[in-house]
Amino acid sequence: MTIRTTLTTLLLLTLLSGCSSLLPKPEGGKQNLQSSLNHLQQWQVRGKLSVTSPDDSVTGYLTWEQDKQSYDLFISGPFGSGASRLQGNSRQAELTLPGWDKPQRARTPEQLMLAHMGWNFPVTDIRYWVKGQASPNAAATGKYDEHGLLTHLQQHGWDIRFSRYQQHGDYWLPGLIKISGHDFRFVFSIKEWTVNG
């Protein structure tokens, strides 16, 4: 029994040390990790999105495709029957909600979200946050773990927490993102990352 316990303990320690060796090396530092994320301009992410506001709490499924400045967010579930879609680029944005005959357009996605959904949500910054990176659009305060991965970010009056990092290609990307502020709370549990470059 003692031999079995010893072997089990050694096996667990070996597995744990093997897992820790898969994490980014501290000598690379947060600068290298954050800098590498600047090269990630094309990706797709899928997962579960929960939104809590002073008036409601909804859950749905989000598929997000980013191709440099162009984005396409498809959300199914949380807004009644049907699905919602937000797409656009640096020049214009387009929103489609269930029951609409045609999409609504505006200069920015933030204008559309606020006007039609009542969400004061920084869509332009989220493309950086979802990668575990501060947006370059405003000053930010961040905290990093011993491997240089961003764990906590404060920006634009939002508090963002990152966890469940995993390696996808050349990048370390979060699997769970919690965003709170402005009377809202968003939780994005990522099920799948597809990295294209």
Side-chain angles (χ1 to χ4, degrees), residues 35-77:
S35 178
S36 73
L37 293 175
N38 293 328
H39 302 293
L40 181 54
Q41 299 290 324
Q42 295 174 298
W43 44 263
Q44 181 185 83
V45 65
R46 300 174 188 266
K48 186 176 181 180
L49 176 67
S50 300
V51 182
T52 304
S53 72
D55 304 317
D56 202 2
S57 180
V58 293
T59 300
Y61 295 93
L62 171 65
T63 298
W64 183 343
E65 293 185 26
Q66 187 78 33
D67 184 359
K68 298 180 181 176
Q69 296 296 322
S70 299
Y71 53 87
D72 187 348
L73 287 76
F74 182 80
I75 308 172
S76 61

Coordinates of all heavy atoms in Angstrom, one line a residue, residues 35-77:
S35 N 3.3 41.6 -26.6 CA 3.8 42.0 -27.9 C 3.3 41.0 -29.0 O 2.9 41.3 -30.1 CB 5.3 42.2 -28.0 OG 5.7 42.5 -29.3
S36 N 3.4 39.7 -28.6 CA 3.0 38.7 -29.6 C 1.6 38.7 -30.0 O 1.2 38.4 -31.1 CB 3.4 37.3 -29.0 OG 2.5 36.9 -28.0
L37 N 0.7 39.2 -29.0 CA -0.7 39.3 -29.3 C -1.0 40.4 -30.3 O -2.1 40.3 -31.0 CB -1.5 39.6 -28.0 CG -1.5 38.5 -26.9 CD1 -2.1 39.0 -25.7 CD2 -2.1 37.2 -27.5
N38 N -0.1 41.3 -30.5 CA -0.3 42.3 -31.6 C -0.3 41.7 -33.0 O -0.9 42.3 -33.9 CB 0.8 43.4 -31.5 CG 0.7 44.2 -30.3 OD1 -0.4 44.5 -29.7 ND2 1.8 44.7 -29.8
H39 N 0.3 40.6 -33.1 CA 0.4 39.9 -34.4 C -0.9 39.1 -34.7 O -1.1 38.6 -35.8 CB 1.6 39.0 -34.5 CG 2.9 39.7 -34.3 ND1 3.4 40.7 -35.2 CD2 3.8 39.7 -33.3 CE1 4.5 41.2 -34.7 NE2 4.8 40.6 -33.6
L40 N -1.7 38.8 -33.6 CA -2.9 38.0 -33.8 C -4.0 38.9 -34.3 O -4.7 39.6 -33.5 CB -3.3 37.3 -32.5 CG -4.5 36.4 -32.5 CD1 -4.4 35.4 -33.6 CD2 -4.7 35.8 -31.1
Q41 N -4.3 38.9 -35.6 CA -5.3 39.8 -36.2 C -6.5 39.1 -36.8 O -7.5 39.7 -37.1 CB -4.6 40.7 -37.3 CG -3.5 41.6 -36.7 CD -4.0 42.7 -35.9 OE1 -5.0 43.3 -36.1 NE2 -3.2 43.1 -34.9
Q42 N -6.3 37.8 -36.9 CA -7.4 37.0 -37.6 C -7.7 35.8 -36.7 O -6.8 34.9 -36.5 CB -7.0 36.5 -39.0 CG -6.8 37.7 -39.9 CD -6.3 37.2 -41.3 OE1 -5.2 36.6 -41.4 NE2 -7.1 37.4 -42.3
W43 N -8.9 35.7 -36.1 CA -9.2 34.6 -35.3 C -10.7 34.4 -35.2 O -11.5 35.3 -35.6 CB -8.7 34.8 -33.9 CG -8.8 36.2 -33.3 CD1 -7.9 37.2 -33.4 CD2 -10.0 36.8 -32.7 NE1 -8.4 38.4 -32.8 CE2 -9.7 38.1 -32.3 CE3 -11.2 36.3 -32.3 CZ2 -10.6 38.9 -31.7 CZ3 -12.1 37.1 -31.7 CH2 -11.8 38.4 -31.4
Q44 N -11.1 33.3 -34.6 CA -12.5 33.0 -34.4 C -12.6 32.4 -33.0 O -11.8 31.6 -32.6 CB -13.1 32.0 -35.4 CG -14.6 31.7 -35.1 CD -15.1 30.7 -36.1 OE1 -15.0 29.5 -35.8 NE2 -15.7 31.1 -37.2
V45 N -13.6 32.8 -32.2 CA -13.8 32.3 -30.9 C -15.3 32.0 -30.7 O -16.2 32.7 -31.2 CB -13.3 33.3 -29.8 CG1 -14.2 34.6 -29.9 CG2 -13.3 32.8 -28.5
R46 N -15.6 30.9 -30.0 CA -16.9 30.4 -29.7 C -17.1 30.2 -28.2 O -16.1 29.6 -27.6 CB -17.3 29.1 -30.5 CG -17.2 29.2 -32.0 CD -17.4 27.8 -32.5 NE -17.1 27.8 -34.0 CZ -18.0 27.9 -34.9 NH1 -19.3 28.1 -34.6 NH2 -17.7 27.9 -36.2
G47 N -18.2 30.5 -27.7 CA -18.4 30.2 -26.3 C -19.8 30.6 -25.8 O -20.7 31.1 -26.5
K48 N -19.9 30.6 -24.5 CA -21.2 31.0 -23.8 C -21.0 32.3 -23.2 O -20.1 32.6 -22.5 CB -21.5 29.9 -22.7 CG -22.8 30.1 -22.0 CD -23.0 29.0 -21.0 CE -24.4 29.1 -20.4 NZ -24.6 28.0 -19.4
L49 N -22.0 33.2 -23.5 CA -22.0 34.6 -23.0 C -23.2 34.8 -22.0 O -24.3 34.5 -22.4 CB -22.1 35.5 -24.1 CG -22.2 37.0 -23.8 CD1 -20.9 37.5 -23.2 CD2 -22.5 37.9 -25.1
S50 N -22.9 35.3 -20.8 CA -23.9 35.7 -19.9 C -23.8 37.1 -19.6 O -22.8 37.7 -19.4 CB -23.7 34.9 -18.5 OG -23.8 33.5 -18.7
V51 N -25.0 37.8 -19.6 CA -25.1 39.2 -19.4 C -26.0 39.5 -18.2 O -27.2 39.0 -18.3 CB -25.6 39.9 -20.7 CG1 -25.6 41.5 -20.4 CG2 -24.7 39.6 -21.9
T52 N -25.6 40.3 -17.3 CA -26.4 40.7 -16.2 C -26.5 42.2 -16.1 O -25.4 42.9 -16.1 CB -25.9 40.2 -14.8 OG1 -25.8 38.7 -14.9 CG2 -26.8 40.5 -13.7
S53 N -27.7 42.8 -16.1 CA -27.9 44.2 -16.1 C -28.8 44.5 -14.9 O -29.3 43.5 -14.2 CB -28.5 44.7 -17.4 OG -29.9 44.3 -17.4
P54 N -29.0 45.7 -14.5 CA -30.0 46.0 -13.4 C -31.4 45.5 -13.6 O -32.1 45.3 -12.7 CB -30.0 47.6 -13.3 CG -28.6 48.0 -13.9 CD -28.4 47.0 -15.0
D55 N -31.7 45.3 -14.9 CA -33.1 44.9 -15.2 C -33.3 43.4 -15.6 O -34.4 42.9 -15.6 CB -33.7 45.7 -16.3 CG -33.6 47.2 -16.0 OD1 -33.9 47.6 -14.9 OD2 -33.2 48.0 -16.9
D56 N -32.2 42.8 -16.0 CA -32.3 41.4 -16.6 C -31.0 40.6 -16.4 O -30.0 41.2 -16.2 CB -32.7 41.6 -18.0 CG -33.4 40.4 -18.6 OD1 -33.6 39.4 -17.8 OD2 -33.7 40.3 -19.8
S57 N -31.2 39.3 -16.7 CA -30.0 38.4 -16.8 C -30.3 37.4 -17.9 O -31.3 36.7 -17.9 CB -29.8 37.7 -15.5 OG -28.7 36.8 -15.5
V58 N -29.4 37.4 -18.9 CA -29.6 36.5 -20.1 C -28.4 35.8 -20.4 O -27.3 36.2 -20.0 CB -30.1 37.3 -21.3 CG1 -31.5 37.9 -21.1 CG2 -29.1 38.4 -21.6
T59 N -28.6 34.7 -21.1 CA -27.4 33.8 -21.5 C -27.6 33.4 -22.9 O -28.7 33.1 -23.3 CB -27.3 32.6 -20.6 OG1 -27.2 33.0 -19.2 CG2 -26.2 31.7 -21.0
G60 N -26.5 33.4 -23.7 CA -26.6 32.9 -25.0 C -25.3 32.4 -25.5 O -24.4 32.2 -24.7
Y61 N -25.2 32.1 -26.8 CA -23.9 31.6 -27.3 C -23.4 32.5 -28.4 O -24.1 33.0 -29.2 CB -24.2 30.2 -27.9 CG -24.6 29.2 -26.9 CD1 -25.9 29.0 -26.6 CD2 -23.6 28.5 -26.1 CE1 -26.3 28.1 -25.6 CE2 -24.0 27.6 -25.1 CZ -25.4 27.4 -24.9 OH -25.7 26.6 -23.9
L62 N -22.1 32.8 -28.2 CA -21.4 33.8 -29.1 C -20.4 33.1 -30.0 O -19.6 32.3 -29.6 CB -20.8 34.8 -28.2 CG -19.8 35.8 -28.9 CD1 -20.6 36.7 -29.9 CD2 -19.1 36.7 -27.9
T63 N -20.5 33.5 -31.3 CA -19.4 33.1 -32.2 C -18.9 34.5 -32.8 O -19.7 35.3 -33.3 CB -20.0 32.3 -33.4 OG1 -20.5 31.1 -32.9 CG2 -18.9 32.0 -34.4
W64 N -17.6 34.7 -32.6 CA -17.0 35.9 -33.0 C -15.9 35.7 -34.0 O -14.9 35.0 -33.7 CB -16.5 36.6 -31.8 CG -15.9 38.0 -32.0 CD1 -15.4 38.6 -33.1 CD2 -15.6 38.9 -30.9 NE1 -14.9 39.8 -32.9 CE2 -15.0 40.1 -31.5 CE3 -15.8 38.9 -29.5 CZ2 -14.6 41.2 -30.8 CZ3 -15.4 40.0 -28.8 CH2 -14.8 41.2 -29.5
E65 N -16.0 36.3 -35.2 CA -14.9 36.2 -36.2 C -14.3 37.6 -36.3 O -15.0 38.6 -36.5 CB -15.4 35.7 -37.5 CG -15.9 34.3 -37.5 CD -16.3 33.8 -38.9 OE1 -15.8 34.4 -39.9 OE2 -17.2 32.9 -39.0
Q66 N -13.0 37.7 -36.2 CA -12.2 38.9 -36.3 C -11.2 38.8 -37.5 O -10.4 37.8 -37.5 CB -11.5 39.3 -35.0 CG -10.9 40.6 -35.0 CD -11.8 41.8 -34.8 OE1 -12.8 41.6 -34.1 NE2 -11.6 42.9 -35.4
D67 N -11.3 39.7 -38.4 CA -10.3 39.7 -39.6 C -9.8 41.1 -39.7 O -10.3 42.0 -40.3 CB -11.0 39.3 -40.8 CG -10.1 39.2 -42.0 OD1 -8.9 39.4 -41.8 OD2 -10.5 38.8 -43.1
K68 N -8.7 41.3 -38.9 CA -8.1 42.7 -38.8 C -9.1 43.6 -38.3 O -9.5 43.5 -37.1 CB -7.5 43.1 -40.2 CG -6.4 42.1 -40.6 CD -5.8 42.5 -41.9 CE -4.7 41.5 -42.3 NZ -4.2 41.8 -43.7
Q69 N -9.6 44.6 -39.1 CA -10.5 45.6 -38.6 C -12.0 45.2 -38.7 O -12.9 45.8 -38.2 CB -10.3 46.9 -39.3 CG -9.0 47.6 -39.1 CD -8.8 48.0 -37.7 OE1 -9.7 48.5 -37.0 NE2 -7.6 47.9 -37.2
S70 N -12.2 44.1 -39.4 CA -13.6 43.6 -39.7 C -14.0 42.6 -38.6 O -13.2 41.7 -38.2 CB -13.7 43.0 -41.0 OG -13.4 43.9 -42.0
Y71 N -15.2 42.7 -38.1 CA -15.7 41.8 -37.1 C -17.1 41.3 -37.4 O -17.9 42.0 -38.1 CB -15.7 42.5 -35.7 CG -16.4 43.8 -35.7 CD1 -17.8 43.8 -35.5 CD2 -15.8 45.0 -35.9 CE1 -18.5 45.1 -35.5 CE2 -16.4 46.2 -36.0 CZ -17.8 46.2 -35.7 OH -18.5 47.4 -35.8
D72 N -17.4 40.1 -36.9 CA -18.8 39.5 -37.1 C -19.1 38.8 -35.8 O -18.5 37.7 -35.6 CB -18.8 38.6 -38.3 CG -20.1 38.1 -38.7 OD1 -21.1 38.3 -37.9 OD2 -20.3 37.6 -39.8
L73 N -20.0 39.3 -35.0 CA -20.4 38.7 -33.8 C -21.8 38.1 -34.0 O -22.8 38.9 -34.3 CB -20.4 39.6 -32.6 CG -19.1 40.1 -32.1 CD1 -18.4 41.1 -33.0 CD2 -19.2 40.7 -30.7
F74 N -22.0 36.8 -33.8 CA -23.3 36.2 -33.9 C -23.7 35.6 -32.6 O -23.0 34.8 -32.0 CB -23.2 35.0 -35.0 CG -24.5 34.4 -35.2 CD1 -25.5 34.9 -36.1 CD2 -24.8 33.1 -34.6 CE1 -26.7 34.3 -36.3 CE2 -26.0 32.5 -34.9 CZ -26.9 33.1 -35.7
I75 N -24.8 36.1 -32.0 CA -25.3 35.7 -30.7 C -26.6 35.0 -30.8 O -27.6 35.6 -31.3 CB -25.4 36.9 -29.7 CG1 -24.1 37.7 -29.8 CG2 -25.7 36.4 -28.3 CD1 -24.2 39.0 -29.0
S76 N -26.7 33.8 -30.3 CA -28.0 33.1 -30.3 C -28.4 32.8 -28.9 O -27.6 32.5 -28.0 CB -27.8 31.7 -31.1 OG -26.9 30.9 -30.4
G77 N -29.7 33.0 -28.7 CA -30.3 32.6 -27.4 C -30.8 33.7 -26.5 O -31.9 33.7 -26.1

